[in-house]
Amino acid sequence: MASAVKRDGRAVVTTCGGCYADCAFAARVEDGRVVAELPVVGHPCVTRALCARGRHRLAMPFDERDRIVHPMRRRADGSGFDAISWDEAFSEIAARLGGIVDEHGARALGMTLGVPSFDRYWGYRLMHALGSPNVYGADGACEVSRLTGWEHSLGYSPASDLAHTDCIMYLGRSIVDSSTMGAVDALNDARRRGAKIIVVDPRRSGSAALADRWLRVRPGCDLALLLGIAHVLIAEDLYDHEFVTRYTTGFDELAQAASAWTPEWAESMCDVPAAEIVATARDLAAAAPAAVVDAGFHGGIGIAYANSTQTARAICLVDVLLGCIGHAGGALNPPTPLALGDLDPARFATPPVPRGPKLGSERYPLVDPVRGLCTTIGQSILAGDLRGLIVYASNPGAGYGNVQAWLSILQQLDLLVTIDILWSETARVSDFVLPDVTYLEADRGVGTVVGANDARVFYRNAVLPVQHDDTRPGREIFAGLAQACGVGEYFQFTSDDLAAAQVAPFGINLDELKERGWADTGVALPSRTGEPAIPLDGGKIALASDVWERAGLGRVPNWIAPMVEPGPGMFRLISGNRPFESHTSRRLAAQGAAEAGSDLDAVQMNVDAAAHMGIADGEIVELVSDMGRDRVRVETTPYLHPACIFTSAAPGGRSLGSDAGGAQGLGVGPLDHTPLRWDPLTGAALTQENAVRVEKIAAREDNNE
């Protein structure tokens, strides 16, 4: 029997909470499960289907495995947790927060937020009320190096105009393997239009499989490929002279340096044949300015290598030479965000924003303190500057760097509180664990389209009542903590009060917005093409930059090698996105992997490299480094650079613990063999600066005998 969650006979329109994409669907409940109906025509986040990750999130409210259902307090002897009441939790946490403030000051408190932290407004408000500026977002764990490279080269990281491009090149980014179904559709539409797709990746990703050209680059060497392309564009006079003259400085100095970046030199660094480098440069130039090297995202350049920031500089350089910035089919100007309203301070007391700098910002002055710095929390803990941390919808113990190292650091805090839905590595070492609800069990408020010009707003409606009586939405948890800390006067508003204030500037009725699921604000937004936006001092792009010279990267983006170069018989352990992945939960990733027929216990290895070592497809081997040993199943493939091993982006067998006999589960996580380091420029985790060797188990056991 179907019991639909309806308003006037229609299913509730909401958006998926599986990632940042907010894919829209109409929800109804049938036989104790949530059914998603798509597409929701007219919605700003319309999509034809949910990805595997989104589909499996529909069952989360009913899944008891690893679910946190009561407030939990760690026992004094560390042997486990006991359930406590909410009043006990709020009172005890507040007392310990107050003790830290009294002894070390409010700046010794911090909060870090994950992507699905929907009630972050309340989190920011709590930290401000306590006097701390230390609220960190997830970008620092995903793409801070890339963002910093773009921020100081162009002033922002541009989106690609995939809908109108004639040629696009992606580095380490696979749209086909993403969780954003609309982007997959846009890529397929571009192919049908005849746009040329070029993918640079050590593995043949989903996007590489449908690309016109796949460049199998050596891991960590995308920078050399870009420099080789820049050389061809300049040496063959294929660059946009007018754009360079009008919008840049330092071209002569750049051109002199570029003379050394020959395709042959680039091939020696990145293993892409010189002829392919030349052909790629010519293809881009032939389509310019409706051509673009995509600015990137996470993948192989976000935070992976010591040269990731320099790689972002080089992408910007090639796009400048193509003259594509601000041009249709090229790199789009920044979106014009809708300015939502806020609570009226005359009606609702508002805490002052702390004036002091966020911890980590002095150490990394080039990094945007709003978007970056979350991985630097570890340094602040080790320095004794950060003493208390609230983790909301995030898992730094598994997502900010090497797991063992991070868990050790987190346990040095005077207080660690985790607010989450499921038990995680971070939750298990916390002092208190507070149970959140899933995105389907509470309204998540007003949203705007991220990364695009769109004058519509939408509302994230609840689909279900709260399924576990002792769980609460994040906003109620923050309000309860605030009351216990003596700053409850800043939380005398409801979620509807906030939502109504946010849409008030547009004359939108909140009840009508909830009913329909979205509304048009009527705001006229400017085009993202035309005169290029260059929000830098002087309004020009410095191809030879004093900023980068002072930062130690050189005036022009010369070659910088990865920090770690695996020696003979060693491999670089890399990972990449797949549409079912969860970066911080192996169990959630396993659900999608099973549906896709993918094996999370396995790693991919180049077939020739495996044959050279006598390793057969399906054989179980050990990956070994100074960081330990992990047993994995090998899948051999010709579609992977022989210098690397590819693993899932989800945590490995270590995250499952050991069985009764002490055996560890199969599988390796992408950070299990990456030593804990902080990039000296951005604080990034340098997630693929590692080296592992592959050992046949039989051979090792024979040697032991």
Side-chain angles (χ1 to χ4, degrees):
M1 175 179 236
S3 60
V5 181
K6 297 180 179 179
R7 292 192 178 94
D8 296 333
R10 292 189 297 112
V12 172
V13 174
T14 190
T15 65
C16 178
C19 74
Y20 57 87
D22 270 310
C23 294
F25 64 96
R28 61 178 70 249
V29 180
E30 295 180 359
D31 298 323
R33 63 190 182 95
V34 177
V35 177
E37 300 175 353
L38 300 96
V40 181
V41 178
H43 196 288
C45 301
V46 63
T47 186
R48 60 180 170 81
L50 296 179
C51 71
R53 182 191 300 181
R55 291 194 299 275
H56 289 291
R57 292 300 193 280
L58 297 176
M60 278 187 70
F62 315 109
D63 191 342
E64 300 291 334
R65 293 173 297 171
D66 292 333
R67 185 74 190 266
I68 307 164
V69 294
H70 301 287
M72 306 296 289
R73 178 182 58 210
R74 174 175 290 282
R75 298 183 190 125
D77 62 5
S79 62
F81 290 85
D82 294 313
I84 58 175
S85 71
W86 279 104
D87 286 343
E88 287 178 292
F90 289 149
S91 175
E92 294 182 24
I93 294 170
R96 293 178 65 172
L97 289 170
I100 292 171
V101 173
D102 290 343
E103 186 173 352
H104 303 285
R107 198 162 177 255
L109 301 179
M111 179 182 294
T112 188
L113 309 169
V115 172
S117 49
F118 302 110
D119 289 339
R120 61 179 55 205
Y121 182 94
W122 283 260
Y124 271 95
R125 204 171 179 91
L126 173 62
M127 296 309 292
H128 291 172
L130 296 176
S132 174
N134 301 319
V135 183
Y136 301 87
D139 286 330
C142 298
E143 50 177 342
V144 64
S145 297
R146 183 190 71 78
L147 288 173
T148 302
W150 277 99
E151 182 72 23
H152 297 282
S153 296
L154 180 61
Y156 58 94
S157 172
S160 299
D161 188 10
L162 182 57
H164 303 100
T165 195
D166 292 329
C167 183
I168 187 168
M169 184 168 90
Y170 292 102
L171 292 94
R173 184 181 188 186
S174 179
I175 296 295
V176 171
D177 296 312
S178 78
S179 57
T180 310
M181 301 300 291
V184 177
D185 291 341
L187 186 67
N188 282 321
D189 288 345
R191 291 180 65 232
R192 284 190 285 269
R193 280 194 300 102
K196 182 164 288 187
I197 311 296
I198 302 168
V199 173
V200 180
D201 203 308
R203 67 170 179 133
R204 189 171 182 258
S205 64
S207 293
L210 59 76
D212 297 279
R213 180 179 293 124
W214 169 42
L215 302 179
R216 194 183 72 170
V217 69
R218 187 178 189 85
C221 297
D222 306 65
L223 173 59
L225 171 65
L226 291 162
L227 297 180
I229 290 171
H231 171 95
V232 175
L233 294 175
I234 295 171
E236 296 190 3
D237 199 27
L238 299 176
Y239 68 94
D240 189 323
H241 287 251
E242 181 183 358
F243 189 96
V244 168
T245 300
R246 288 186 63 188
Y247 300 113
T248 77
T249 63
F251 177 77
D252 290 343
E253 185 175 345
L254 169 73
Q256 183 176 359
S259 63
W261 307 333
T262 64
E264 292 72 23
W265 166 84
E267 177 181 356
S268 73
M269 294 289 106
C270 71
D271 296 343
V272 175
E276 289 287 287
I277 295 173
V278 172
T280 299
R282 291 173 179 170
D283 284 344
L284 288 165
V292 62
V293 180
D294 185 75
F297 184 44
H298 194 311
I301 65 169
I303 55 169
Y305 301 103
N307 65 13
S308 289
T309 301
Q310 192 82 319
T311 301
R313 286 184 70 193
I315 297 173
C316 181
L317 165 62
V318 174
D319 283 344
V320 166
L321 294 175
L322 295 173
C324 71
I325 297 171
H327 197 283
L332 292 167
N333 287 331
T336 302
L338 287 172
L340 296 178
D342 202 349
L343 294 171
D344 181 357
R347 290 184 58 206
F348 304 102
T350 301
V353 177
R355 293 176 176 267
K358 182 183 295 187
L359 286 176
S361 58
E362 304 104 320
R363 196 177 287 119
Y364 301 102
L366 290 183
V367 174
D368 177 357
V370 175
R371 301 190 67 180
L373 299 177
C374 69
T375 54
T376 72
I377 288 172
Q379 290 174 298
S380 297
I381 295 171
L382 292 174
D385 297 327
L386 188 66
R387 314 295 296 227
L389 180 66
I390 298 174
V391 176
Y392 174 39
S394 185
N395 187 10
Y400 285 8
N402 182 270
V403 177
Q404 291 88 340
W406 260 95
L407 293 179
S408 174
I409 290 171
L410 290 171
Q411 291 177 81
Q412 297 181 41
L413 287 160
D414 296 341
L415 175 65
L416 177 60
V417 179
T418 291
I419 302 170
D420 215 331
I421 300 165
L422 304 176
W423 285 98
S424 66
E425 287 82 353
T426 302
R428 294 185 189 283
V429 299
S430 295
D431 299 296
F432 295 88
V433 181
L434 305 180
D436 198 359
V437 300
T438 69
Y439 81 90
L440 293 166
E441 299 171 75
D443 283 15
R444 292 166 292 124
V446 177
T448 60
V449 179
V450 176
N453 270 4
D454 198 306
R456 293 168 292 177
V457 296
F458 56 91
Y459 194 82
R460 306 176 180 101
N461 279 296
V463 174
L464 299 164
V466 172
Q467 299 295 294
H468 300 276
D469 291 341
D470 218 14
T471 61
R472 297 187 180 183
R475 55 182 174 265
E476 294 183 16
I477 297 173
F478 291 127
L481 285 172
Q483 190 67 39
C485 289
V487 292
E489 70 269 21
Y490 298 120
F491 290 80
Q492 301 304 309
F493 63 94
T494 67
S495 57
D496 277 358
D497 289 330
L498 175 60
Q502 289 174 323
V503 299
F506 314 116
I508 294 173
N509 179 276
L510 179 59
D511 290 334
E512 293 175 0
L513 174 63
K514 289 183 177 183
E515 173 73 20
R516 188 186 187 202
W518 78 96
D520 195 326
T521 65
V523 175
L525 298 175
S527 171
R528 297 179 69 184
T529 58
E531 189 75 9
I534 307 174
L536 299 171
D537 291 344
K540 291 198 173 186
I541 300 163
L543 300 179
S545 166
D546 293 336
V547 171
W548 291 118
E549 183 176 41
R550 289 193 297 269
L553 298 190
R555 287 176 56 77
V556 299
N558 276 304
W559 167 248
I560 297 174
M563 181 183 295
V564 175
E565 184 56 47
M570 304 288 284
F571 300 85
R572 190 180 300 280
L573 181 65
I574 69 170
S575 68
N577 202 39
R578 292 184 286 187
F580 53 79
E581 297 285 30
S582 169
H583 296 286
T584 57
S585 173
R586 182 178 173 87
R587 189 176 66 73
L588 291 178
Q591 295 173 336
E595 177 183 310
S598 184
D599 185 357
L600 287 186
D601 298 339
V603 299
Q604 292 183 346
M605 185 177 186
N606 178 272
V607 63
D608 294 330
H612 179 74
M613 298 182 65
I615 295 172
D617 185 62
E619 183 174 346
I620 294 176
V621 301
E622 284 193 331
L623 297 189
V624 184
S625 74
D626 293 340
M627 313 301 293
R629 294 176 175 270
D630 291 278
R631 291 197 172 195
V632 296
R633 186 178 293 107
V634 172
E635 293 177 352
T636 61
T637 174
Y639 301 119
L640 183 70
H641 193 287
C644 61
I645 303 290
F646 179 84
T647 189
S648 166
R654 299 184 193 186
S655 69
L656 304 174
S658 301
D659 63 19
Q664 180 180 297
L666 288 179
V668 63
L671 301 173
D672 288 344
H673 293 271
T674 301
L676 180 63
R677 300 185 181 94
W678 287 278
D679 178 60
L681 185 67
T682 66
L686 305 179
T687 54
Q688 292 178 183
E689 292 283 12
N690 60 47
V692 299
R693 66 180 184 273
V694 180
E695 290 187 358
K696 289 177 66 69
I697 293 175
R700 185 172 66 79
E701 292 178 347
D702 289 344
N703 289 338
N704 288 343
E705 292 175 4

